[in-house]
Amino acid sequence: MKKSILSFILLLYVFSINAQTKLPAYLDLNQPIEVRIKDALSRMTLEEKVGLCTAESKFSTHGVPRLGIPELWMSDGPHGIRMEIMWDSWNHAGWTNDSCTAFPALTCLAASWNPEMAHLYGKSIGEEARYRHKDVLLGPGVNIYRTPLNGRNFEYFGEDPYLTSKMVVPYIQGVQANGVSACIKHYMLNNQEKWRGNIDVELSDRALHEIYLPAFKAAVTKGKVWSVMGSYNKIRGQYACENELTLMKILKGEWGFDGCVISDWGAAHDTKNAALNGLDIEMGSWTNGFSSNRANAYKNYYLADPYLKMLQSGEIPVSNVDEKAARILRLIFRTAMNQNKPFGSFAGPDHFDVCRRISEQGIVLLKNSAGLLPIDKSRYKTIAIIGENATRSLTEGGGSSELKPKYEISSLQGLTEKFGADKIKYAMGYASGKVEYDKVNPSPYDAAIIRKEAVDLAAKSDLVIFVGGLNKNSQQDCEGADRITYSLPFEQNELISELLKVNKNVILVMLSGNAYEMPWISKATTLVQAWYGGSESGHAIANVLSGNVNPSGKLPFTFGVKLGDYGSHSFGIIAYPGDSIKEIYKEDILVGYRWFDTKKIKPLFPFGYGLSYTTFSYGKPSLSSSSMTATDSITVSVKVKNTGKVDGFEIVQMYITDEKSSLPRPEKELKGFQKIWLSPGEEKRVNFTIKKDALSFFDDKKHEWVAEPGTFKVLIGASSADIRGTEKFTLNELH
Ligand code: GLC
């Protein structure tokens, strides 16, 4: 008897301990996320669910304090963790511990054509976000480069959906391995800054599916991205953050996206539309005129009190907010409440090393006809470095991708370290005004005077290295406005022409995120496109110019001779920038090289182009079969050999031509690439697998992707205009 009483008491005790320590499911880190979500929802009030759907400060959302569910903290941007911003304004908070690694602009990453570098980039920037306690990194951006005037092209991956897709997936995977959400943006059709807040984009279903959706689809279905940022503009009459087609039908319907749609800052416009058409988290609104500084402004957000009232009245079913809250809780459990995430790291030598390597691999050698590169410094006593971009910070400005780097090596600094201060003399040559996002400041210098100083220095130097291009000022490579000319700004063309007159040894190094016209190109022998390289930019440029690194980048977008050569500038203002209300993408699927090839317009430098300090020969491509069906594949095999004297990367590209199709198709389209390393004399075999997807186009009548039986051509090239071998094959009917 006594024993049984004792064991009963013991049992009671164990049970009570167990009961006390048994966590609620939503806090039980061993429970599956979906169980935790269901449990959390069951404990939340309607107000708490609604609270999850809006900002609580400039860059954070409400958590559920009563239940210990934390806020979500977000940070720009795609190139590095932005300096801390004030709670309730765009001003910098002035912290002293937030100086980051400034990674290269994503256009530079795209120009590397190296998915391994993309993963390393995402891993590294994700570590910095994690260390800075950020749950959502507001990037990467994948908007397609349709016009060289778009102020934000430097934040994106260029003109081709296949290249963009292949580069953005590993970046996202790298970021999210840190328990930080990437936030693919700006979804979608935000391909310019002019009138971005309201322009209503019209385009064909083919252009939508073949050009503008693929990178977002890859991010969601392959990259498993946890959040998507809705853009400012309209699409076929509905704002992007309240769009039934793009958010409900495509993103959450066809693609099965299980994460959160986060509005761009101020991109929500209507409670019911936002609620019913897929917006999950509203950020940065100014609501109905209350400034964001008003204490209660957040309660006036479209998805705050107005939304609560519609739920309480039954105008919107409670299931609507349950669905949103479930997605937001899923994001919280994947990030802020993810117990397995690492602790990150911040602005350490490993990240600066990654920064330099990506910058080096993105640099594109466009001309080297006089053999000036690589520089043999023993040949020169005096080297003139000329150009404001040789000293100007290019991580400051540009809009929300602005950074406060721990350091930023300028070209002048990198080149001086490399070639010796005794040889180097500097002249600014041209000058822009102080960086601003929303206005262009006048230059504080007299252009004629600083140009003369530079030309005089060039005339008496053995070698000239000009560092110019665009910068992060408004109407340059900057958010909030587009460029107003395709020409280089600040009278650089005049300066470059004069430098080329007074010295035959001129190396032009251009830093930009966009193409530009080159009226002096026939006189220039040596041209390098070096992008915005971030903290290690100067070291990367010096390593490439000196030959310590063999350039291997290739252009992710076409350099047209003049603006009118681009498809988006061939149909009047309705095609760009629109009539301030509507814009029609009249070039349709012929974006970038698709336009130049099909219309037989010769560009200055084609998509996929880039030289090396060595040379490569290509063997004849061979096919595993001369025909395939929609259910099997063909392997294309080609040998590539380094026929020069130095090691180097080569980016082997595969394009596909559909010889005959029921609907018009581009002359060819990129469907494969591989970046391979070859030592002098070394030869490697490169294989590409062609499956149905590579042959398909979107049939807007059937509203599906189709691969029509018939003859196709596979083109292997060193660029879109340098095809080294072709082969034909047929796609047979399936019987
Ligand atoms: C900006 C940008 C977006 C950025 C956000 C927060 O308007 O369009 O890319 O992430 O606001 O700064």
Side-chain angles (χ1 to χ4, degrees):
M1 176 65 170
K2 201 173 173 188
K3 211 171 169 189
S4 59
I5 291 170
L6 265 178
S7 54
F8 177 66
I9 291 168
L10 186 65
L11 200 65
L12 268 182
Y13 176 68
V14 166
F15 178 74
S16 70
I17 293 289
N18 193 15
Q20 277 162 21
T21 55
K22 185 148 181 50
L23 283 171
Y26 78 96
L27 290 177
D28 181 349
L29 306 181
N30 301 311
Q31 291 284 351
I33 281 188
E34 298 313 309
V35 169
R36 295 171 68 189
I37 291 169
K38 198 160 175 293
D39 180 58
L41 282 177
S42 70
R43 298 165 187 272
M44 289 166 68
T45 64
L46 184 62
E47 289 76 2
E48 287 169 336
K49 292 173 189 173
V50 169
L52 287 177
C53 302
T54 56
E56 187 182 41
S57 79
K58 220 24 160 194
F59 281 94
S60 66
T61 63
H62 302 84
V64 187
R66 176 180 66 85
L67 296 176
I69 294 174
E71 303 151 347
L72 275 174
W73 277 92
M74 308 181 184
S75 172
D76 290 309
H79 307 152
I81 307 310
R82 192 177 185 180
M83 67 286 277
E84 197 66 18
I85 303 290
M86 295 292 278
W87 179 266
D88 210 1
S89 79
W90 288 111
N91 299 325
H92 300 162
W95 287 15
T96 54
N97 63 346
D98 57 353
S99 298
C100 67
T101 303
F103 294 94
L106 290 185
T107 310
C108 179
L109 175 62
S112 77
W113 291 60
N114 191 333
E116 286 171 22
M117 282 292 147
H119 188 271
L120 191 53
Y121 191 129
K123 172 181 176 295
S124 306
I125 195 173
E127 287 167 347
E128 302 230 341
R130 171 67 189 96
Y131 185 85
R132 289 267 286 106
H133 303 291
K134 303 302 178 184
D135 304 305
V136 182
L137 174 71
L138 300 170
V142 291
N143 295 99
I144 291 294
Y145 184 120
R146 78 177 274 268
T147 166
L149 300 188
N150 177 16
R152 293 186 83 174
N153 278 331
F154 73 99
E155 291 187 50
Y156 307 144
F157 291 82
E159 70 190 28
D160 184 78
Y162 181 87
L163 175 62
T164 302
S165 302
K166 288 296 179 186
M167 296 298 285
V168 78
V169 166
Y171 176 109
I172 290 165
Q173 292 166 337
V175 170
Q176 299 191 159
N178 288 284
V180 173
S181 172
C183 183
I184 194 83
K185 70 185 185 181
H186 304 83
Y187 186 72
M188 63 177 297
L189 295 165
N190 177 189
N191 302 95
Q192 67 193 52
E193 289 301 287
K194 191 166 179 62
W195 298 319
R196 67 172 177 170
N198 68 282
I199 197 75
D200 184 4
V201 175
E202 286 290 346
L203 78 170
S204 72
D205 274 347
R206 290 198 66 201
L208 179 68
H209 287 270
E210 293 188 30
I211 303 296
Y212 299 101
L213 280 173
F216 289 103
K217 182 175 183 179
V220 170
T221 59
K222 294 194 170 62
K224 304 297 180 198
V225 74
W226 293 337
S227 64
V228 172
M229 184 186 293
S231 59
Y232 285 117
N233 54 288
K234 286 182 179 177
I235 301 151
R236 294 181 181 169
Q238 277 192 326
Y239 279 109
C241 288
E242 307 159 4
N243 195 291
E244 192 172 357
L245 170 68
T246 55
L247 294 183
M248 301 306 285
K249 186 172 178 301
I250 295 173
L251 177 68
K252 295 183 174 181
E254 290 167 18
W255 300 348
F257 175 61
D258 71 355
C260 283
V261 174
I262 300 171
S263 76
D264 201 339
W265 270 237
H269 294 273
D270 177 274
T271 296
K272 196 156 188 181
N273 290 342
L276 300 180
N277 287 342
L279 182 62
D280 298 307
I281 300 180
E282 176 187 355
M283 300 299 290
S285 296
W286 285 269
T287 60
N288 51 2
F290 286 120
S291 87
S292 62
N293 293 310
R294 283 284 297 272
N296 68 343
Y298 298 108
K299 299 302 285 175
N300 296 319
Y301 271 33
Y302 299 101
L303 288 184
D305 283 358
Y307 181 40
L308 179 61
K309 288 187 178 64
M310 287 187 183
L311 291 163
Q312 287 164 335
S313 70
E315 192 174 348
I316 295 177
V318 172
S319 59
N320 180 272
V321 70
D322 284 344
E323 208 268 344
K324 294 181 196 302
R327 288 174 179 270
I328 299 165
L329 288 165
R330 189 171 296 120
L331 183 58
I332 292 171
F333 291 151
R334 283 170 166 165
T335 57
M337 289 178 83
N338 168 356
Q339 75 284 4
N340 298 320
K341 63 186 179 184
F343 293 96
S345 64
F346 193 65
D350 55 336
H351 289 175
F352 290 109
D353 184 58
V354 167
C355 172
R356 195 199 74 259
R357 287 165 59 202
I358 292 167
S359 185
E360 285 166 350
Q361 283 212 29
I363 288 173
V364 183
L365 177 59
L366 293 174
K367 279 191 90 168
N368 192 22
S369 60
L372 292 180
L373 292 175
I375 294 171
D376 170 2
K377 70 176 184 181
S378 64
R379 286 177 52 193
Y380 308 105
K381 285 200 181 64
T382 54
I383 301 174
I385 311 287
I386 290 170
E388 187 191 53
N389 268 359
T391 56
R392 185 183 184 86
S393 165
L394 293 166
T395 56
E396 183 193 5
S400 57
S401 63
E402 63 170 355
L403 294 172
K404 178 170 74 175
K406 190 172 181 182
Y407 65 80
E408 180 181 0
I409 303 295
S410 69
S411 306
L412 179 62
Q413 205 175 335
L415 293 166
T416 302
E417 286 173 21
K418 185 65 71 179
F419 297 120
D422 56 318
K423 292 177 186 280
I424 301 272
K425 284 203 173 19
Y426 173 69
M428 185 183 279
Y430 73 90
S432 57
K434 184 179 173 308
V435 66
E436 295 279 355
Y437 302 157
D438 49 9
K439 65 174 186 283
V440 180
N441 287 316
S443 164
Y445 298 90
D446 178 315
I449 293 174
I450 57 176
R451 187 186 313 155
K452 186 179 181 316
E453 284 169 358
V455 174
D456 291 348
L457 174 63
K460 60 188 179 190
S461 300
D462 298 336
L463 176 68
V464 176
I465 302 174
F466 172 78
V467 184
L470 304 178
N471 64 27
K472 298 292 188 69
N473 283 21
S474 184
Q475 296 177 5
Q476 301 298 320
D477 283 326
C478 184
E479 177 180 343
D482 283 346
R483 294 163 70 194
I484 54 175
T485 168
Y486 186 50
S487 182
L488 283 174
F490 321 122
E491 299 176 39
Q492 287 179 73
N493 286 334
E494 293 78 0
L495 171 59
I496 290 169
S497 300
E498 291 196 36
L499 294 176
L500 292 169
K501 277 186 200 135
V502 300
N503 196 310
K504 64 179 178 29
N505 296 334
V506 176
I507 297 167
L508 301 173
V509 180
M510 308 305 272
L511 311 183
S512 75
N514 256 316
Y516 39 86
E517 63 186 1
M518 302 180 190
W520 31 261
I521 191 63
S522 59
K523 303 274 191 315
T525 64
T526 316
L527 175 61
V528 176
Q529 176 65 23
W531 316 111
Y532 298 120
S535 287
E536 282 285 322
S537 179
H539 286 152
I541 289 168
N543 285 340
V544 168
L545 296 192
S546 65
N548 292 145
V549 168
N550 185 358
S552 63
K554 297 206 173 185
L555 294 178
F557 51 76
T558 306
F559 270 69
V561 172
K562 58 187 186 307
L563 191 59
D565 288 352
Y566 287 87
S568 50
H569 295 271
S570 302
F571 297 93
I573 64 151
I574 195 63
Y576 177 85
D579 62 8
S580 83
I581 305 293
K582 184 177 286 294
E583 184 176 31
I584 305 173
Y585 286 8
K586 283 186 170 282
E587 78 281 9
D588 201 65
I589 59 173
L590 299 181
V591 174
Y593 68 90
R594 289 170 167 82
W595 174 267
F596 283 81
D597 290 350
T598 309
K599 302 295 182 186
K600 306 275 181 271
I601 300 169
K602 187 169 175 9
L604 265 177
F605 295 100
F607 173 80
Y609 180 86
L611 299 174
S612 170
Y613 293 150
T614 187
T615 50
F616 299 97
S617 66
Y618 286 56
K620 188 171 168 13
S622 60
L623 303 184
S624 58
S625 165
S626 59
S627 68
M628 62 181 274
T629 67
T631 55
D632 57 27
S633 65
I634 282 181
T635 300
V636 189
S637 181
V638 62
K639 280 187 174 177
V640 180
K641 184 175 183 178
N642 181 338
T643 49
K645 298 187 174 59
V646 293
D647 296 342
F649 279 110
E650 172 62 332
I651 297 164
V652 183
Q653 299 157 48
M654 179 185 74
Y655 296 84
I656 296 282
T657 297
D658 187 346
E659 300 257 298
K660 186 171 173 302
S661 56
S662 61
L663 292 176
R665 296 193 69 178
E667 190 238 29
K668 62 177 176 292
E669 298 179 276
L670 180 73
K671 296 295 179 186
F673 63 88
Q674 287 183 41
K675 188 164 193 175
I676 57 171
W677 177 261
L678 291 169
S679 300
E682 186 183 7
E683 186 174 60
K684 276 181 186 166
R685 179 174 289 283
V686 178
N687 297 318
F688 296 101
T689 301
I690 297 174
K691 292 187 176 166
K692 182 183 76 164
D693 288 357
L695 312 180
S696 301
F697 66 89
F698 190 80
D699 183 328
D700 50 357
K701 295 175 183 54
K702 297 177 183 165
H703 202 76
E704 60 180 7
W705 284 87
V706 298
E708 290 175 334
T711 307
F712 289 83
K713 193 161 67 173
V714 55
L715 305 91
I716 300 294
S719 85
S720 63
D722 179 4
I723 299 304
R724 304 291 183 89
T726 63
E727 267 299 344
K728 288 194 178 183
F729 64 94
T730 56
L731 172 67
N732 296 332
E733 289 280 0
L734 261 181
H735 298 298

